[in-house]
Amino acid sequence: MAGPTLVENFLYTHSRPCSDTEVNADCPAPDKDGWNTLLQVARQNGVTGFIYRNTRGLDVLPDHARTELQDWYQQTTFRNLDQLGETLNVLRILAASGIQAVPLKGVVASEIIFDDLGVYPSSDIDILVHPDDLDAAKQVLQARAEYVSVPGRSEEEWRASHYHYILHKKQYLLELHWNLTKRYFEVQPEFWWEGVRSVQWRGVEILELAPEKYLMYAVFRYFDHCFYPLRFLVLIAGIVEHYGPEICWDTLMRDCSRLKMKRLVVFTLQLVHELLAVEIPADIAEKKSPGYSALKKLCRSGMLHGIERQHLRMMCYTALLDSPADVAGALLGRLVPTRGELCLRYNLPSGSARIFLYYLMNPVLLFLKKKDGR
């Protein structure tokens, strides 16, 4: 892939968490056909709200583009307002039962980190609880908030192969986390609670992760979703810019080294620095990252054209693990997954007689399957 096109440059420049009027005005706009591509790519990457906010004071947008961006911005605002009310309701119910909970990303990030409910789309409600409170939290949400579990899998399977339960009611989907990484990294759940602090949000006292841990979680999530969509990278940029003075970079790098996430975090920070112009420490920005150019091109192609062969892409991205042994282990896990992982990957019900068949077919399906059902 060649250097960024006009569409890509416009996309990255106007998706930044903080708007810079001078930079925005100097960024060349796409031609007529380019606008159609830009709008499509922006929708797929969940950044229409950012582009609308960062360009509404400029004259470069054709009328149809401005109208469409404004419509998406308003839709995101209305959906986030709805999600906001339900998120506060969930937090109040858990707090009333003495259960500590940390809301993650979504509507909370849109308001606290970006100070705008119209920019960061929230598809579900993510809540972190301590493993000791997990069963109680699930029971409380089922009894008092009318959530129900997704049928077909046992709690043992979820715990063995995943890091959250999925609950739902009406239009709401809630992910109840007991950990914030899975599969590629061994991180104890207690790690995420170190440095958790109280903040005020909408007149309610809520908990938030320490900035370094929030950043690590956001980086892992972007990696685990195959470096797609762009809004996940914008969230990382927003965390760096919003919490910048509070982030202890030495602590971050020390934790990343200990948990074998250093290569991944350094690569992602360099990517956010290059594509979204976010300031990071010079020693991180200048650190040599083997394979950086090739992996950056792969990330760009995914954001521009979408992701189909996700399993194959993730095999490439395992190069970002810290050691050859980690890479080999991750690749082996793709080829020979656990029973629970296999059920989640191919959406098989618990106890399905087809599991053995899928074990045999898994190496072939990795190359044929376009979408990852993880």
Side-chain angles (χ1 to χ4, degrees), residues 5-52:
T5 62
L6 280 179
V7 168
E8 281 189 277
N9 279 328
F10 198 90
L11 179 74
Y12 300 140
T13 297
H14 297 289
S15 295
R16 296 174 185 174
C18 294
S19 179
D20 186 324
T21 303
E22 185 175 341
V23 171
N24 291 349
D26 290 341
C27 180
D31 57 21
K32 182 178 179 180
D33 291 336
W35 276 111
N36 294 330
T37 300
L38 175 67
L39 292 173
Q40 179 182 358
V41 172
R43 285 196 305 271
Q44 292 171 347
N45 281 274
V47 293
T48 51
F50 289 101
I51 294 176
Y52 174 72

Side-chain angles (χ1 to χ4, degrees), residues 315-331:
M315 287 182 179
C316 296
Y317 291 139
T318 55
L320 290 168
L321 302 184
D322 273 8
S323 73
D326 295 327
V327 174
L331 292 175

Side-chain angles (χ1 to χ4, degrees), residues 74-285:
Q74 291 174 344
Q75 289 180 36
T76 300
T77 301
F78 294 144
R79 176 167 175 78
N80 276 348
L81 281 169
D82 183 53
Q83 293 275 80
L84 183 151
E86 181 62 16
T87 301
L88 289 172
N89 179 52
V90 166
L91 293 175
R92 289 191 184 103
I93 288 173
L94 292 174
S97 299
I99 298 172
Q100 290 189 315
V102 182
L104 305 163
K105 58 186 185 66
V107 64
V108 183
S110 197
E111 189 158 66
I112 292 180
I113 294 177
F114 301 116
D115 195 29
D116 191 330
L117 283 175
V119 295
Y120 194 82
S122 56
S123 55
D124 49 38
I125 298 171
D126 288 79
I127 301 290
L128 173 70
V129 299
H130 195 277
D132 293 342
D133 294 325
L134 182 61
D135 291 334
K138 185 179 179 183
Q139 292 170 9
V140 165
L141 292 173
Q142 289 174 329
R144 298 186 54 193
E146 301 179 351
Y147 278 90
V148 297
S149 299
V150 173
R153 297 188 180 89
S154 66
E155 292 185 2
E156 290 76 16
E157 285 178 324
W158 281 110
R159 293 201 191 203
S161 58
H162 220 58
Y163 64 159
H164 62 66
Y165 291 143
I166 298 178
L167 308 174
H168 69 93
K169 77 168 182 182
K170 298 178 182 177
Q171 73 270 31
Y172 303 113
L173 191 68
L174 187 149
E175 293 185 354
L176 188 63
H177 290 259
W178 60 85
N179 205 336
L180 297 179
T181 58
K182 61 178 179 179
R183 189 182 291 115
Y184 302 98
F185 304 99
E186 294 291 335
V187 182
Q188 294 303 310
E190 290 76 11
F191 170 77
W192 305 106
W193 291 89
E194 298 169 4
V196 165
R197 58 200 187 175
S198 298
V199 296
Q200 288 291 322
W201 179 55
R202 291 273 173 168
V204 177
E205 189 175 88
I206 66 168
L207 297 177
E208 70 174 13
L209 297 174
E212 299 83 6
K213 292 176 173 58
Y214 201 170
L215 186 55
M216 291 174 70
Y217 161 57
V219 168
F220 169 78
R221 181 166 166 264
Y222 188 44
F223 163 76
D224 190 49
H225 284 75
C226 217
F227 290 90
Y228 179 85
L230 177 58
R231 70 182 170 100
F232 288 1
L233 187 66
V234 179
L235 175 60
I236 295 168
I239 291 171
V240 173
E241 294 194 340
H242 181 77
Y243 296 106
E246 303 174 59
I247 295 174
C248 178
W249 295 98
D250 290 340
T251 297
L252 174 67
M253 289 296 104
R254 185 167 57 249
D255 284 341
C256 288
S257 294
R258 179 168 58 88
L259 298 173
K260 299 182 179 181
M261 292 180 66
K262 188 171 182 178
R263 283 200 65 196
L264 170 62
V265 170
V266 168
F267 169 82
T268 308
L269 288 173
Q270 291 176 341
L271 193 68
V272 82
H273 172 67
E274 181 174 348
L275 298 185
L276 298 177
V278 171
E279 291 299 321
I280 60 175
D283 60 326
I284 296 178

